[in-house]
Amino acid sequence: MEYKIAEHIAAMKPSAIREIFKVLVDPEVIALSAGAPDPSSYPEEEMAKLSAEIFAEDADTAFKYGMTEGYQPLRDLTKKRMQEKYSTGTDADDLIITTGGQQTISLLTQTMINKGDTIVCEGPSFIGALNAFRSFGANLKSVPMDEEGMRIDELEKVLASSENVKFIYVIPTFQNPTGRTMSLERRRQLLELAKKYDVLILEDNPYFELRYEGEPVPTIKSMDTEGRVVYAGSYSKVMSPGMRIGYCIANPKIINRMVVCKQVSDVHTNQFFQMVVARYLQTYDIDKHIEEECKLNKIKRDAMLKACETYFDKRVTFTHPEGGLFIWCELPEGCDSLELCRRITEKKVACVPGSAFSVDEDAVSNGFRMNFSMPTLEQIDIACSRIGEAIREFLD
Ligand SMILES: Cc1ncc(COP(=O)(O)O)c(C=O)c1O
């Protein structure tokens, strides 16, 4: 039969990078393409102990349906931690547990976007968010970034010339894919501009606790006095992504609508893993755990930066992120990183070409992203030397 797929879903193109990712089934390929913590940092022993306790003491709760808003102890513990440690969220805000930070992105989009409404994002930006926006028929506009994050002068031009802008999507800390952090001044200016044009901000902040150097920058949500910022948090990057535990902090008027959307999406986030995370927060010191993860990541970041310096042609630039999981490289202006990444896969290394993170997927990007948390130190060195070789062959 002829399947009458919804127009905005039919318009979504299979991505060119899928071809590149096909190589990942080959165990010899070194993947710099992921965005997850080092598996050796997962708190496996603690989780095994807590899981056994849950099944022995409270199996009923784990097996029953739960509340759409989330498991109450986890909601309370997360709200308290974010409020007390990061001044993020107030008593006037509500917090729901989501199935990863990804679900906050899709629930907010579902809640706010009529087909054709505009979402403004950083250029480049997180592919999972861009695809979520596309799947709801949003019109995407991107704003270029510099060292301090989204450029405010360019943002104002976009806001002034666009209709029905519903929200501005930013990943202010250790951005995916660039690893850059938006400065405090920019955060203030962003909030001011959002006020001026009366739009929401979606602050997606899954990496902010993975800081290896420099001073922490307050969340945009911590400066929000009028419920203008919707905050997406996640336990994926500081504990483990497979648990699928995220959270959203926002004004109850928005949260209530997102809850209706969540009800028809997955009813509630996996109850068992919500309980495990809640018990973890009650029993162990998550800050200590994050500190250990940061130590591990810093060693790998430093190793990758050193390898970039050693093996990469001087015409290639790369970011020096103070945290997070990614280094962003740029070839000279006009070069196509998609072609370079294809050649890199032939050398059994996978990294992600910049076009994957572009609002216009057909536009040529000279950037590509490398992850340093998943590979071993030895793999980092081998991968970068192969990438360096591919760059030389590509540029010469
Ligand atoms: C910027 C950003 N936001 C959100 C997510 C979603 O993470 P999760 O759904 O695992 O919390 C990711 C994952 O890579 C990400 O990079």
Side-chain angles (χ1 to χ4, degrees):
M1 74 171 276
E2 192 190 329
Y3 297 107
K4 294 175 182 142
I5 308 290
E7 280 165 26
H8 50 281
I9 300 295
M12 288 175 73
K13 286 180 279 181
S15 143
I17 61 164
R18 276 203 201 152
E19 288 303 312
I20 291 179
F21 286 169
K22 277 187 191 155
V23 302
L24 292 175
V25 292
D26 178 349
E28 280 180 30
V29 167
I30 303 174
L32 307 183
S33 46
D38 182 331
S40 75
S41 74
Y42 298 151
E44 286 172 10
E45 272 174 38
E46 296 89 333
M47 293 309 203
K49 188 168 165 290
L50 296 172
S51 301
E53 276 175 27
I54 289 169
F55 286 122
E57 295 164 15
D58 201 3
D60 272 7
T61 311
F63 285 122
K64 276 190 311 205
Y65 280 121
M67 275 171 42
T68 302
E69 290 84 347
Y71 178 59
Q72 196 61 43
L74 180 60
R75 294 176 73 195
D76 295 341
L77 288 159
T78 305
K79 190 167 185 185
K80 186 166 182 284
R81 179 166 188 268
M82 289 306 292
Q83 231 171 297
E84 289 179 358
K85 197 166 163 67
Y86 300 111
S87 306
T88 295
T90 65
D91 289 339
D93 285 311
D94 205 351
L95 180 147
I96 54 165
I97 302 300
T98 55
T99 300
Q102 179 71 37
Q103 195 182 40
T104 296
I105 298 169
S106 57
L107 292 178
L108 184 73
T109 312
Q110 196 175 1
T111 298
M112 301 304 299
I113 294 295
N114 294 312
K115 199 163 174 268
D117 284 349
T118 300
I119 299 171
V120 181
C121 54
E122 292 151 328
S125 187
F126 169 48
I127 187 170
L130 298 181
N131 279 339
F133 302 152
R134 290 180 182 121
S135 76
F136 289 100
N139 168 34
L140 302 184
K141 296 248 173 111
S142 72
V143 174
M145 302 170 72
D146 61 19
E147 297 306 313
E148 287 186 68
M150 186 183 254
R151 278 184 46 191
I152 297 298
D153 53 338
E154 295 288 337
L155 173 64
E156 174 132 41
K157 280 187 214 158
V158 170
L159 290 175
S161 62
S162 309
E163 283 183 11
N164 298 329
V165 179
K166 286 291 177 67
F167 59 87
I168 305 166
Y169 171 68
V170 286
I171 309 155
T173 317
F174 315 134
Q175 201 244 8
N176 182 1
T178 64
R180 289 186 183 125
T181 294
M182 187 183 278
S183 66
L184 180 58
E185 185 53 23
R186 283 280 168 92
R187 291 175 195 229
R188 290 199 179 111
Q189 291 169 340
L190 172 65
L191 201 49
E192 279 312 306
L193 218 49
K195 273 184 205 172
K196 182 172 165 189
Y197 288 88
D198 196 23
V199 295
L200 282 176
I201 295 172
L202 171 54
E203 178 177 23
D204 184 16
N205 215 17
Y207 301 101
F208 84 110
E209 292 190 279
L210 301 179
R211 177 172 281 282
Y212 321 133
E213 64 182 56
E215 283 306 305
V217 187
T219 64
I220 306 170
K221 182 74 187 151
S222 70
M223 301 178 235
D224 176 27
T225 53
E226 48 176 21
R228 191 170 290 286
V229 182
V230 175
Y231 185 89
S234 177
Y235 288 102
S236 284
K237 316 292 178 178
V238 291
M239 289 182 92
S240 111
M243 302 185 308
R244 309 305 304 130
I245 305 291
Y247 53 94
C248 174
I249 306 171
N251 184 279
K253 285 185 188 154
I254 294 213
I255 292 281
N256 290 344
R257 295 291 161 178
M258 289 173 68
V259 167
V260 174
C261 296
K262 186 168 167 65
Q263 236 153 23
V264 297
S265 168
D266 63 355
V267 185
H268 61 75
T269 294
N270 182 293
Q271 185 78 351
F272 169 69
F273 263 120
Q274 291 192 69
M275 294 171 77
V276 175
V277 175
R279 281 197 186 218
Y280 185 93
L281 294 172
Q282 284 161 336
T283 314
Y284 299 100
D285 183 351
I286 189 175
D287 296 333
K288 187 92 193 96
H289 169 74
I290 296 172
E291 219 177 277
E292 293 301 318
E293 186 188 335
C294 284
K295 275 188 207 156
L296 205 61
N297 288 347
K298 182 181 186 304
I299 293 170
K300 292 190 171 182
R301 180 208 58 174
D302 291 346
M304 188 172 268
L305 286 172
K306 186 161 168 269
C308 292
E309 266 155 35
T310 309
Y311 298 117
F312 287 10
D313 189 283
K314 296 293 169 257
R315 286 169 284 179
V316 175
T317 60
F318 47 90
T319 52
H320 182 112
E322 292 186 328
L325 304 179
F326 309 111
I327 291 176
W328 176 253
C329 304
E330 284 184 359
L331 298 165
E333 204 68 41
C335 291
D336 184 0
S337 66
L338 186 59
E339 179 49 32
L340 173 70
C341 288
R342 278 201 192 104
R343 296 193 193 186
I344 290 172
T345 54
E346 282 164 16
K347 295 186 186 290
K348 295 199 183 290
V349 178
C351 34
V352 191
S355 52
F357 307 102
S358 300
V359 161
D360 174 4
E361 294 160 288
D362 295 328
V364 170
S365 164
N366 63 334
F368 63 97
R369 189 193 76 179
M370 306 190 302
N371 161 260
F372 52 78
S373 56
M374 297 282 284
T376 62
L377 289 173
E378 193 192 356
Q379 285 175 326
I380 287 174
D381 192 68
I382 296 170
C384 288
S385 84
R386 291 182 191 167
I387 295 171
E389 215 175 85
I391 290 173
R392 269 192 309 280
E393 288 163 13
F394 180 75
L395 290 179
D396 291 341

